[in-house]
Amino acid sequence: MYGALRARELGWSPARRFAYVVLAPVIPFYYVAHFSAFLARHDRRALGVFARHLHVVFATQLLSATSQAVGLLFGPGRTATTFTRYELTEPRPKAGEGTGP
């Protein structure tokens, strides 16, 4: 939903949408490079944690880029309806029952 809506709201041309879809596999590498540089400048200790969890970061970024590319190719479909239904009907813990310890 996000990719299709962002393209519509920002008035992306078909060429820009196409470029995003084609370049989507590069996005995780771009993110890792830029965020690593940011951490190196601002918090070197966090850089080690980031490096140890790089496989999770990379997979998450790849999934995000892929889903946005799919949205650009096929539009948002029924995602707004599905998401709204989930948010309105998913059982929630009662006040004070939290999900953690």
Side-chain angles (χ1 to χ4, degrees):
M1 183 165 87
Y2 180 69
L5 294 178
R6 182 172 64 164
R8 185 183 74 199
E9 290 299 314
L10 298 177
W12 285 8
S13 68
R16 184 166 181 172
R17 289 174 190 233
F18 177 76
Y20 189 96
V21 169
V22 170
L23 294 172
V26 177
I27 290 172
F29 297 101
Y30 174 85
Y31 176 84
V32 167
H34 281 267
F35 197 62
S36 296
F38 172 83
L39 290 175
R41 287 190 309 272
H42 297 286
D43 190 351
R44 285 203 173 273
R45 289 180 304 192
L47 186 58
V49 174
F50 182 71
R52 284 192 303 276
H53 295 91
L54 199 55
H55 62 288
V56 175
V57 173
F58 190 83
T60 302
Q61 288 297 316
L62 184 59
L63 182 60
S64 175
T66 301
S67 62
Q68 287 189 50
V70 169
L72 287 170
L73 288 172
F74 302 108
R78 297 176 35 93
T79 54
T81 303
T82 304
F83 179 74
T84 301
R85 182 175 297 120
Y86 170 81
E87 284 296 315
L88 294 176
T89 61
E90 182 65 18
R92 305 278 197 253
K94 293 180 183 167
E97 283 187 2
T99 57

